Amino acid sequence: MNVKIEDSWRERLSPEFEKPYFKTLVDFVKNEYTAGTVYPPGKLIFNAFDKCPFNETKVVILGQDPYHGAGQAMGLSFSVNDGISAPPSLINIFKEIKDDLGIPIPKSGNLERWANQGVLLLNATLTVRASEAGSHQKKGWETFTDAVIKCISEEKEGVVFMLWGKYAQDKGAVINASKHLVLKSKHPSPMAANAGGWFGNHHFSKANEYLASNGLAGIQW
């Protein structure tokens, strides 16, 4: 199956593209894009992979669903296009970075600059129907992104995985914590963050310290 995805990822994930579940998933997604409005735009479904090749991946931030509002989703978890207001979870991420590293909150919520430094911004589900959160869950995407996480865990060493909230932590159960850094905290969504366990997690400084200890450049958050 000819899936348009960055070459280093295609090389490793091509076996998934030939499995029955993925073929069923492709049929479902194609029908959804034909029938109505689906986010992100079709050319950006694999944007996280295209912006962050396998060999350059140093950090993985795991989200759940793409944003389902107009103009928001761009194929990178937690990220929004330039000119779009940062959603509450992203605002809390920026607040923690400011508290952790003293970096001012940026005007744009576009996180491509992270992806370009080796941060894989991976959603568990890569598409969603407009205004219907979770509408493409349990259609096969989760199986695919499980395979992605397992591939990174098995084939690389010294990757930082940021798992925020129970969903991400459950999905990250396949990660080999003996050769990667697995950081866990509450989710940055306001309900979870305000209950405690998000602010003060220092994930961003911990990630950079770990990368430095392995001789790698930290991320300019």
Side-chain angles (χ1 to χ4, degrees):
M1 183 174 294
N2 183 25
V3 176
K4 294 181 179 179
I5 191 171
E6 191 272 335
D7 287 344
S8 66
W9 286 108
R10 179 196 305 281
E11 179 183 341
R12 288 163 177 84
L13 299 174
S14 56
E16 294 300 309
F17 302 149
E18 302 304 322
K19 292 180 180 179
Y21 88 85
F22 196 86
K23 295 179 180 182
T24 301
L25 171 63
V26 168
D27 289 341
F28 167 78
V29 171
K30 284 182 177 178
N31 288 336
E32 287 286 287
Y33 275 92
T34 300
T37 302
V38 175
Y39 300 124
K43 65 181 181 180
L44 297 179
I45 292 174
F46 295 107
N47 197 28
F49 303 92
D50 295 336
K51 290 287 189 294
C52 183
F54 177 85
N55 295 333
E56 297 175 18
T57 299
K58 300 191 290 189
V59 178
V60 178
I61 297 179
L62 188 61
Q64 188 165 354
D65 240 17
Y67 296 121
H68 54 81
Q72 291 182 306
M74 54 182 297
L76 307 176
S77 63
F78 295 102
S79 179
V80 291
N81 285 298
D82 292 322
I84 299 294
S85 298
S89 292
L90 184 54
I91 290 173
N92 283 339
I93 290 170
F94 287 152
K95 285 180 178 178
E96 174 57 25
I97 292 172
K98 181 181 179 183
D99 292 344
D100 189 13
L101 295 169
I103 298 172
I105 294 175
K107 293 181 180 178
S108 174
N110 188 331
L111 304 181
E112 281 188 3
R113 58 193 176 83
W114 292 3
N116 292 335
Q117 297 177 74
V119 181
L120 182 67
L121 295 161
L122 179 67
N123 277 319
T125 303
L126 300 189
T127 55
V128 68
R129 211 174 291 146
S131 304
E132 294 185 44
S135 51
H136 285 190
Q137 291 178 4
K138 299 180 181 178
K139 301 296 184 181
W141 279 130
E142 294 91 341
T143 303
F144 173 71
T145 50
D146 282 349
V148 172
I149 294 168
K150 188 175 181 181
C151 172
I152 296 170
S153 178
E154 291 181 352
E155 295 193 30
K156 294 181 74 74
E157 291 187 12
V159 174
V160 180
F161 290 86
M162 296 185 179
L163 307 180
W164 301 335
K166 186 178 185 302
Y167 180 87
Q169 289 163 21
D170 288 347
K171 192 171 179 69
V174 298
I175 299 166
N176 183 347
S178 68
K179 63 172 185 170
H180 302 286
L181 178 63
V182 180
L183 299 173
K184 299 179 181 181
S185 77
K186 290 288 187 66
H187 195 275
S189 63
M191 184 176 296
N194 294 336
W198 165 255
F199 293 111
N201 65 26
H202 300 291
H203 279 192
F204 304 95
S205 60
K206 288 177 180 177
N208 281 356
E209 289 165 5
Y210 180 78
L211 292 173
S213 73
N214 287 306
L216 297 171
I219 307 300
Q220 295 181 16
W221 300 107

